[in-house]
Amino acid sequence: MEFNPPRDAAAEARLWRAAREFERMHPAFVSMTYGAGGSTRDRTARVTGQLARETTLLTVAHLTAVEHSVAELRSIVGTYADAGIRNLLVLRGDPPGDPLGEWRKHPDGLEYAEDLVRMVRGLGDFHVGVASFPQGHHRSPDLDHDTAYLCAKLRAGAEYSITQMFFDVEHYLRLRDRVAACDAVEGAKPIIPELMPITSLRTVQRAEELSGRPVPPALMRRLERAGGSDPEANRNDVRAVGIEIATEIGQRLIDEGAPCLHFITLNFAKATTEVLTNLGYTVTAAPVSA
């Protein structure tokens, strides 16, 4: 499960409600995306540490090179280590304010995620993951270049990758094939697919922002048919189709041998729980927190 940094006390309370719900499902791990700058960044570090200390959830902290010197990055890693977090998802990150804008590294920072992987691995006993892109990163000239960068990150010491969200399972399968062809050893490392249930037509735009790609026309037609002439009045129908689509994608991924499913939750538990229930997972009594 992926959480987002809460921006205020109300959002933080919602995150904790979701975390306690997910705790009952015993996920393999949860991850916390990285808050950029100021109080959001401070809140991110605090809440991530609390998740690691106060729940039974294995917590993975995101770490990006955006606007950070090497000294600052080392300090952040030290903060996570002090909180007992030894699992990091290492990303170069996008320019703040405009993900499609020009990338500029900090004068005293790092240029590539590969460099950040090496830095983290050199700081101690950390488990490191990286991002992968089934349809290629938007800055890569083609899929071959994109795959080469992913293999370089894996060779630098990353133990797995989590994909950008996608809607066509074939893109995930071809990514897996490309990595195996690039390097048989690195190809054996888990490539974890990421998905997000679409619960309204308004969340389609958010899904497209997170995936970097448009929702496929066939899926959009299914959602729009459910919405009819009044998507707001028919929002329950749209939501039901969104859950159905996420379930279909999840089942196909399981059938194809995906190591696990990583859900973008937006700090809500209900939709993800419904998809997992459809896939045969059951909710148990809440465990006793650590």
Side-chain angles (χ1 to χ4, degrees):
M1 319 298 186
E2 178 182 283
F3 296 130
N4 300 113
R7 296 185 177 276
D8 52 37
E12 184 173 337
R14 185 175 72 243
L15 183 154
W16 278 103
R17 287 194 296 272
R20 293 304 183 186
E21 284 296 313
F22 289 136
E23 199 173 14
R24 299 167 62 197
M25 304 193 79
H26 308 290
F29 65 94
V30 299
S31 68
M32 174 68 78
T33 63
Y34 190 67
S39 60
T40 302
R41 190 176 70 195
D42 295 339
R43 189 187 295 269
T44 301
R46 176 177 59 77
V47 174
T48 305
Q50 285 181 275
L51 283 169
R53 291 189 305 269
E54 299 175 15
T55 75
T56 59
L57 299 167
L58 177 63
T59 304
V60 178
H62 289 214
L63 177 68
T64 76
V66 175
E67 297 189 332
H68 284 309
S69 67
V70 170
E72 290 170 335
L73 290 167
R74 288 174 177 269
S75 176
I76 294 166
V77 173
T79 298
Y80 285 135
D82 290 343
I85 295 171
R86 291 285 172 174
N87 293 275
L88 299 175
L89 186 70
V90 167
L91 315 160
R92 188 176 76 164
D94 292 319
D98 180 9
L100 300 179
E102 182 181 355
W103 162 261
R104 293 188 179 89
K105 86 176 188 70
H106 187 284
D108 299 313
L110 299 173
E111 180 70 35
Y112 297 109
E114 175 187 350
D115 303 324
L116 189 51
V117 171
R118 289 197 175 91
M119 189 206 80
V120 172
R121 292 304 300 265
L123 291 176
D125 184 20
F126 292 96
H127 297 287
V128 177
V130 292
S132 53
F133 302 89
Q135 294 171 265
H137 190 278
H138 65 269
R139 298 181 193 280
S140 292
D142 53 51
L143 290 177
D144 288 339
H145 280 83
D146 188 81
T147 304
Y149 278 114
L150 173 56
C151 287
K153 292 187 288 187
L154 294 170
R155 292 190 196 107
E159 298 166 74
Y160 63 92
S161 72
I162 298 177
T163 73
Q164 189 176 52
M165 185 173 61
F166 57 90
F167 301 99
D168 186 339
V169 176
E170 288 299 320
H171 293 307
Y172 169 80
L173 298 178
R174 300 295 77 77
L175 168 65
R176 197 168 63 179
D177 292 343
R178 291 195 303 275
V179 176
C182 175
D183 192 313
V185 174
E186 307 308 343
K189 293 181 177 179
I191 300 176
I192 299 171
E194 184 171 68
L195 63 158
M196 183 185 82
I198 294 175
T199 56
S200 73
L201 291 181
R202 286 180 296 178
T203 63
V204 168
Q205 181 179 359
R206 181 61 172 153
E208 291 178 339
E209 290 172 354
L210 291 170
S211 69
R213 307 287 178 174
V215 173
L219 298 187
M220 274 305 306
R221 286 194 293 270
R222 288 173 64 181
L223 293 164
E224 289 168 346
R225 280 198 300 267
S229 60
D230 191 343
E232 183 60 27
N234 298 319
R235 60 184 181 276
N236 289 338
D237 296 329
V238 174
R239 186 181 186 282
V241 170
I243 297 296
E244 183 180 88
I245 289 170
T247 300
E248 292 168 0
I249 294 172
Q251 187 61 62
R252 173 85 189 282
L253 288 165
I254 292 169
D255 293 342
E256 294 285 357
C260 64
L261 306 177
H262 191 53
F263 286 87
I264 297 174
T265 70
L266 303 180
N267 299 350
F268 291 97
K270 187 176 180 182
T272 299
T273 300
E274 288 179 23
V275 173
L276 289 171
T277 300
N278 291 345
L279 293 171
Y281 291 83
T282 57
V283 178
T284 65
V288 177
S289 298

